[in-house]
Amino acid sequence: AKNAGRNTVRFFNPDMQAAIEARATLEAALRCAIECDELQLYYQPQVDRYGRLVGAEALLRWLPPDGEPVSPVRFIPLAEETGLIIPIGYWVLEQACAQLRLWQEDPRMRGLTLSVNVSARQFHQPDLVSQVRETVAISGIDATRLKLELTESVVLDRVEQVIARMRNLKMLGLGFSLDDFGTGYSSLSYLKRLPLDQVKIDQAFVRDIVRDHNDAAIVRAVLAMSQSLGLNVVAEGVETVEQRDFLLQHGCELFQGYLFGKPVPIDALSLPQVPLTTD
Ligand code: C2E
Ligand code: CA
Ligand code: CA
Ligand code: CA
């Protein structure tokens, strides 16, 4: 047994050692970030077919006081592995509800929706429903303006459990959006079974929509299918007028992307948003 132990240790080469240390450093820094108020929500506008602001997606940023902002692409996976996503996720939800409450007190902002990303690990926390219920109650928001964005990774092999949980949450009034649609495994079957309100077409399909016939075909199919299932569709990662026009032509109603605005601190999310109508 001792030998086996020793042999195992030998598999850690210097590269792996360095990766493990870098990870540990990042994890320690992330713990500190939570305690030191270094996390912030940015808001990216979502617009309708006339370019009018209809809502926003809350996107997490880690802003160390002395360094470059760290992308959630880098720290969310780590937060998921370490479980730090649980306190982070609740913090995000509280912040988002507090912001929604402020909007609901402002006649110009009252109708806006706010979308919040919920990771798989957070979604499966035993106390998720009661935590969301409590946060909604304390903030005093109209929950019909709150959307939770889930990815297909939430579902995996637990479809029944996920459906039941979604139904419980929907009783609070909130809605569900299926994020990164098209990038997962069993998209089509989930689309039919889950009590969804919205799907978001992943930016990977939008990127080459004007040039790539396959991407264009997929997007057209998603739009047609979603319409027949009564789901609204948000196209993500819309950067050009050409992409927007293609999507418009095929019946897309909602848009998010740099063309309409990057994620910004709340004070920079101003009304009215760039109405980019060409028609
Ligand atoms: P996502 O939910 O798919 O968010 C969309 C990402 O696309 C955001 O990256 C956004 O800044 C970026 N984006 C928006 N429009 C454009 C565009 O026109 N062009 C391009 N190239 N990119 C665009 P971001 O903010 O870096 O977030 C990355 C991911 O991190 C998110 O992907 C989401 O999966 C995760 N994330 C962010 N905030 C949270 C959070 O509060 N909780 C959880 N669990 N995950 C989060
Ligand atoms: Ca999202
Ligand atoms: Ca997405
Ligand atoms: Ca994504």
Side-chain angles (χ1 to χ4, degrees):
K2 237 179 194 171
N3 278 344
R6 258 188 221 135
N7 285 341
T8 317
V9 172
R10 278 204 294 154
F11 286 115
F12 288 92
N13 61 42
D15 280 356
M16 288 166 76
Q17 190 62 40
I20 288 164
E21 276 163 22
R23 211 193 93 120
T25 307
L26 186 63
E27 183 185 339
L30 184 55
R31 274 182 204 284
C32 174
I34 300 167
E35 283 153 24
C36 306
D37 273 353
E38 292 171 12
L39 299 181
Q40 202 181 321
L41 284 187
Y42 275 30
Y43 297 83
Q44 184 175 33
Q46 295 177 329
V47 304
D48 68 9
R49 39 195 301 127
Y50 305 104
R52 293 178 301 212
L53 184 69
V54 292
E57 177 178 3
L59 291 158
L60 197 55
R61 293 291 179 269
W62 177 5
L63 304 165
D66 53 348
E68 292 287 295
V70 185
S71 164
V73 176
R74 248 193 101 203
F75 70 83
I76 293 282
L78 179 72
E80 277 168 359
E81 277 174 49
T82 55
L84 287 171
I85 194 65
I86 306 305
I88 291 175
Y90 287 133
W91 180 86
V92 167
L93 188 68
E94 274 168 28
Q95 294 292 306
C97 287
Q99 186 53 55
L100 204 46
R101 173 64 198 238
L102 289 177
W103 282 353
Q104 290 177 354
E105 286 165 2
D106 180 341
R108 294 167 311 155
M109 308 296 264
R110 188 163 290 155
L112 301 183
T113 60
L114 186 55
S115 297
V116 176
N117 293 287
V118 175
S119 84
R121 180 136 183 207
Q122 185 187 0
F123 186 84
H124 291 292
Q125 280 299 104
D127 66 347
L128 177 87
V129 177
S130 60
Q131 290 268 10
V132 174
R133 185 185 295 118
E134 201 171 299
T135 309
V136 164
I138 289 172
S139 63
I141 58 162
D142 167 8
T144 62
R145 298 297 167 186
L146 179 65
K147 275 204 177 64
L148 302 185
E149 294 196 358
L150 307 179
T151 60
E152 289 164 51
S153 65
V154 162
V155 186
L156 293 179
D157 50 353
R158 306 186 249 193
V159 193
E160 296 308 328
Q161 192 188 321
V162 169
I163 292 172
R165 180 152 279 205
M166 286 173 76
R167 291 221 171 101
N168 282 333
L169 287 164
K170 283 187 74 120
M171 284 196 270
L172 303 174
L174 55 77
F176 282 101
S177 185
L178 188 61
D179 204 357
D180 300 348
F181 184 70
T183 61
Y185 303 100
S186 324
S187 309
L188 296 183
S189 58
Y190 293 154
L191 197 60
K192 219 183 94 188
R193 294 185 62 196
L194 299 179
L196 293 166
D197 303 277
Q198 179 179 84
V199 299
K200 298 186 83 173
I201 301 180
D202 193 71
Q203 57 193 56
F205 300 108
V206 173
R207 195 171 299 129
D208 296 321
I209 206 175
V210 185
R211 278 171 286 130
D212 186 317
H213 293 298
N214 293 328
D215 286 348
I218 291 169
V219 168
R220 281 199 307 267
V222 171
L223 284 165
M225 201 167 49
S226 305
Q227 277 155 6
S228 67
L229 290 171
L231 302 169
N232 70 50
V233 179
V234 182
E236 286 193 279
V238 181
E239 295 184 351
T240 69
V241 172
E242 289 74 22
Q243 291 167 342
R244 195 270 317 258
D245 287 348
F246 179 96
L247 289 157
L248 264 180
Q249 258 170 36
H250 293 94
C252 189
E253 303 274 355
L254 298 166
F255 307 84
Q256 187 180 339
Y258 295 167
L259 179 64
F260 307 101
K262 293 192 169 181
V264 287
I266 193 63
D267 296 338
L269 187 80
S270 52
L271 261 184
Q273 272 292 325
V274 276
L276 273 160
T277 39
T278 51
D279 44 11

